[in-house]
Amino acid sequence: MKNNIHQIAFWTLLCFTVVSSAGNVKRDLASVGIKSKEAVKFYDKGEIAFSDTGKINEYQGVLVRLDEPNTSYANLDLYLFPNEPKIAMSSDLCQQYLSKLFGAAQERILKVEKTLQIYKSHTGPTCEFILADPQSHSLVPFRYVIAGFLNARLTVLAWQLREPLMAANKEKLRQFWDGLR
Amino acid sequence: MIFGPVLWCNRVFLEQFFILNLSFLKNWPFYDLDSYYAKEMQKIICFIFLGLISNQCLAEVCFKNEAEYQAAKEKLPALLQGIPIYLGYGGFKATVASRLNFADGELKFDLQAATIIGATTVSEYVNLCVDDRTVTLNYKNGKSEKVQLTSKGVEVKGVTLAKLANQAAYIESQKSVFNRDPSLDKTHSTPASVRSEQ
């Protein structure tokens, strides 16, 4: 009888621990101080095994756009740089963060397609660029990156793409950025 | 081969610090040279010799492309003697297929992992630094990651990736990653749990 009570206590405690730890998982984008017009879930880098492999410490995790059917466009990496003292995006600053994320130009194998662009979004000057992997049959042949100041905090979104990014799709990804607050 | 000089150095140092009385080893090389200068010379020789040994143990070999790899190949641990290396893991924690290979001559680390939450793809150019105990993956953005060599393969982020026999085994391993989440055959798969939450 005494053993049974111990067993019940053990399993109750175990269930409570599992349930309470599951409850602590923050899937809301608001947990990283961002709001989105689209339905989005946020997965912290600690949740998905190997997700932070090769990424700098400012990598936060993966955003999943729930209404986007194409997984290449639905999943994107989020980087936050709260300590960046500048408050407006510029070509030089973007170049600096390109090197920070993917390595300096002389070291980096990934090539910037055309050049990085500064365009005007709801957050002001915003930077975008596409990186191409010169290796044929690469697992991740392209990366598309948007960088700008969201709530006065430098925020970078990075998509891993299987196909070259067409203008129409690029516009959709820009629209996703436009929906962030 | 190095045991003789190492033992001799041990004896020299122990004797210098009066820890042992080794007078019964009269016939040992240099022992007859009992003068102060001979003792000092013995110590200097030992310091140089032990320094050389420790340098040899800690000497790090790095390579980032095929040419550098070929030059360093003989000094590398057995696991790294042949590239490509295919590594896999299948378990409760994750299913992983990974590969270290040369892509157009540059060293590249590819990894696909799936867990109950979701999946991820890593495809990064690296350079590799190897000493006698650990391998360090250095990514182009300056991030580096230590990988422990084990008897089974390598340990990455607490998961031991076992060496797979060949490319066919790697492809099979990749399939098992995809089977965990059929939507994966793209870069980042949508976490399965997210889809079910919709």
Side-chain angles (χ1 to χ4, degrees):
Chain A
M1 182 65 185
K2 198 175 178 183
N3 275 349
N4 279 347
I5 291 169
H6 282 157
Q7 272 195 354
I8 290 165
F10 170 76
W11 286 111
T12 308
L13 190 65
L14 187 67
C15 289
F16 176 75
T17 310
V18 169
V19 168
S20 58
S21 62
N24 283 336
V25 173
K26 291 173 181 169
R27 298 260 166 77
D28 192 347
L29 195 49
S31 66
V32 282
I34 299 174
K35 288 177 185 167
S36 172
K37 286 182 181 173
E38 278 189 36
V40 173
K41 287 280 181 190
F42 169 68
Y43 282 79
D44 185 86
K45 59 184 171 185
E47 279 192 85
I48 302 177
F50 297 97
S51 144
D52 62 340
T53 306
K55 296 191 176 95
I56 58 174
N57 292 338
E58 288 84 352
Y59 167 68
Q60 303 296 317
V62 179
L63 302 188
V64 181
R65 300 166 60 201
L66 301 179
D67 298 329
E68 171 56 56
N70 185 329
T71 53
S72 274
Y73 303 132
N75 300 279
L76 56 137
D77 296 333
L78 172 69
Y79 295 83
L80 295 174
F81 299 91
N83 298 325
E84 171 53 50
K86 292 197 175 72
I87 52 164
M89 181 50 70
S90 66
S91 190
D92 283 349
L93 188 64
C94 190
Q95 189 72 48
Q96 192 184 317
Y97 277 87
L98 162 63
S99 298
K100 201 173 170 70
L101 263 70
F102 301 102
Q106 63 273 21
E107 284 286 317
R108 195 176 57 237
I109 310 289
L110 304 175
K111 301 293 174 209
V112 179
E113 270 197 353
K114 296 173 190 167
T115 178
L116 50 85
Q117 303 282 330
I118 300 289
Y119 74 97
K120 187 97 173 159
S121 78
H122 73 299
T123 61
T126 305
C127 177
E128 65 175 358
F129 57 86
I130 296 171
L131 287 170
D133 189 335
Q135 182 204 0
S136 52
H137 308 299
S138 171
L139 280 179
V140 185
F142 302 98
R143 289 164 170 87
Y144 174 66
V145 175
I146 295 181
F149 283 88
L150 208 56
N151 301 323
R153 180 176 56 174
L154 182 58
T155 305
V156 177
L157 308 181
W159 280 265
Q160 295 186 338
L161 305 174
R162 283 265 162 143
E163 307 290 338
L165 185 60
M166 297 295 133
N169 288 327
K170 189 163 86 172
E171 192 50 42
K172 286 181 185 172
L173 299 185
R174 280 184 174 191
Q175 281 170 10
F176 173 70
W177 171 265
D178 288 340
L180 298 179
R181 294 290 182 273
Chain B
M1 193 176 133
I2 60 169
F3 274 125
V6 168
L7 288 173
W8 178 69
C9 284
N10 279 342
R11 188 182 68 95
V12 168
F13 287 126
L14 289 171
E15 199 173 8
Q16 288 292 314
F17 295 109
F18 306 105
I19 296 169
L20 284 177
N21 179 5
L22 299 170
S23 58
F24 61 92
L25 293 170
K26 281 271 181 192
N27 294 327
W28 195 268
F30 297 114
Y31 198 81
D32 292 341
L33 304 172
D34 217 13
S35 69
Y36 170 78
Y37 292 107
K39 291 276 184 195
E40 287 304 301
M41 188 57 72
Q42 285 176 353
K43 275 203 289 186
I44 290 166
I45 292 169
C46 282
F47 275 125
I48 293 169
F49 173 73
L50 294 175
L52 284 174
I53 292 179
S54 64
N55 275 342
Q56 204 170 13
C57 289
L58 296 173
E60 205 175 39
V61 179
C62 295
F63 59 95
K64 63 175 182 294
N65 55 38
E66 203 156 5
E68 289 179 7
Y69 170 70
Q70 290 302 340
K73 194 175 172 183
E74 285 181 8
K75 298 172 194 164
L76 299 173
L79 185 75
L80 297 169
Q81 290 283 334
I83 287 180
I85 302 166
Y86 301 106
L87 299 158
Y89 172 83
F92 175 72
K93 196 171 181 179
T95 306
V96 182
S98 69
R99 171 180 63 184
L100 190 69
N101 198 10
F102 292 109
D104 299 333
E106 299 291 335
L107 192 60
K108 197 174 192 192
F109 179 58
D110 290 321
L111 180 144
Q112 293 182 93
T115 66
I116 197 162
I117 297 283
T120 193
T121 298
V122 175
S123 184
E124 298 290 342
Y125 290 91
V126 292
N127 78 19
L128 219 65
C129 286
V130 185
D131 66 20
D132 55 341
R133 293 174 192 86
T134 53
V135 175
T136 309
L137 284 166
N138 296 303
Y139 299 93
K140 299 296 178 188
N141 58 10
K143 174 98 183 276
S144 63
E145 206 151 29
K146 292 239 183 274
V147 172
Q148 294 294 327
L149 293 177
T150 72
S151 56
K152 291 177 185 170
V154 300
E155 192 181 307
V156 188
K157 294 181 186 294
V159 172
T160 299
L161 304 176
K163 190 178 178 186
L164 301 169
N166 50 33
Q167 189 173 5
Y170 167 71
I171 290 167
E172 276 306 306
S173 173
Q174 272 189 310
K175 282 180 188 166
S176 70
V177 171
F178 294 143
N179 287 341
R180 289 290 290 267
D181 183 350
S183 67
L184 177 68
D185 201 12
K186 294 172 176 112
T187 48
H188 264 122
S189 83
T190 301
S193 55
V194 170
R195 292 293 174 203
S196 63
E197 284 170 18
Q198 286 182 78

